[in-house]
Amino acid sequence: MSRARVISFINYKGGVGKTTTTYHIGCSLAQHHNKKVLLVDIDPQTNLTFLCAPIEKWEEFKRKSGTIATLYQRFLDRKPLETRRFIWQTPVGAGRERIANLDLIPCDIDLLGEDLGGGQISGTFPQIEALRRQAREFLRDRLFLRNCIREVEHSYDYVLIDCPPNLYLMTQNALLASQWYVITAIPDHLSTIGLNILQRKVDKIGEVVGSAVVFAGDQQDLAVARLGALVFVKVRIGGNVITSTHSQQMAKIRASLPRTCPVLGYTTELIGYSEAAENCLPVWMHGSINARRAAEKREYEKITEEFLRRFETLVKVKQAAS
């Protein structure tokens, strides 16, 4: 199998459907398109992990195998990562009905203290060798996740990373591990402003990494992920149409995006998503009335179809150019 498509889901704002979107796209890729998918939870809130499995199962896996926090400690201790040991195979499903192609590297709150920054390049001018060592350490801090994924990426078609709602150290790791990133956004005024800020901040991270590579004398081909797509979430519907306020904001946000960044679709606020989440299932696998109503809309299935079309096309373009 060739190298996986590695895609991060980011936004420095919370409550914008990032985790639910990562989860449902991953589940749909595996269940509806027969893709081998690895979900990676690097958000210390651990919500993606708890969408995949109940807390008792997570505690059991953590006790026996560990989580990404354990894996990160191995990285800090400069031990072999052995990423495969920390992959939870087929955690999603009820009873015998499990999503066979979907695996997870779970998170836990122990990662929280490691997401506060670190490795900043000083504003002073030390001797060149000291500066070079500092730059190398800066880069090493941000290559943990890239190194983990490199060990297992040939076993998967897609690796989807759910990032914390910030652009600190772990999210920077994700951006260096990924080829692309996807933004989820609510179509409101603040999101319109926030998306432009987010893109500028990601570009700035890329510039700083590039400078560190020069200082370090490092020959690695390091680059942050490129903006791949956007998904609208929690869109308000009046009757069968999008409300005028959200419709106008969606048009405004689309116009502010680079021409190369498509919108994959949108989801609405439906109680069925919450009910399915409480039972650690994607909405189409849950049997409540509300979940069935949500599943009938096929919101995430449609988004996944566009997601697949988008990133398969990008891979072909990249291959043709190389």
Side-chain angles (χ1 to χ4, degrees), residues 158-300:
Y158 282 88
V159 177
L160 308 183
I161 307 171
D162 184 37
C163 299
N166 58 52
L167 291 175
Y168 297 156
L169 182 59
M170 284 300 156
T171 304
Q172 292 176 34
N173 264 266
L175 288 169
L176 278 169
S178 305
Q179 295 132 349
W180 300 282
Y181 66 93
V182 171
I183 300 173
T184 59
I186 299 171
D188 57 22
H189 176 65
L190 291 177
S191 289
T192 306
I193 299 171
L195 286 177
N196 293 327
I197 295 172
L198 178 61
Q199 291 171 69
R200 288 201 301 270
K201 286 184 177 292
V202 172
D203 290 343
K204 182 63 177 177
I205 291 168
E207 292 172 8
V208 173
V209 167
S211 297
V213 169
V214 173
F215 280 123
D218 199 318
Q219 299 303 308
Q220 293 188 71
D221 182 19
L222 295 179
V224 299
R226 290 171 292 159
L227 176 59
L230 182 137
V231 176
F232 286 117
V233 298
K234 301 182 180 180
V235 173
R236 295 196 197 102
I237 299 292
N240 292 318
V241 297
I242 301 171
T243 61
S244 60
T245 301
H246 272 196
S247 179
Q248 291 167 9
Q249 286 298 328
M250 288 166 76
K252 189 174 182 180
I253 291 171
R254 283 177 191 267
S256 73
L257 292 171
R259 297 177 67 180
T260 54
C261 177
V263 174
L264 302 181
Y266 66 87
T267 68
T268 52
E269 288 192 278
L270 298 169
I271 194 170
Y273 290 123
S274 299
E275 292 181 357
E278 289 173 5
N279 289 272
C280 306
L281 292 171
V283 69
W284 56 82
M285 290 182 70
H286 190 47
S288 73
I289 293 174
N290 289 320
R292 289 202 301 271
R293 286 174 179 165
E296 286 171 1
K297 293 181 176 291
R298 299 188 67 252
E299 291 176 344
Y300 274 117

Side-chain angles (χ1 to χ4, degrees), residues 47 52 69 75 81 113 192 264 291 313 320:
N47 289 334
C52 291
F75 173 78
L81 293 173
T192 306
L264 302 181
T313 299

Side-chain angles (χ1 to χ4, degrees), residues 8-23:
S8 291
F9 289 74
I10 71 170
N11 200 316
Y12 62 82
K13 294 175 63 179
V16 293
K18 174 177 55 60
T19 300
T20 302
T21 299
T22 308
Y23 174 72

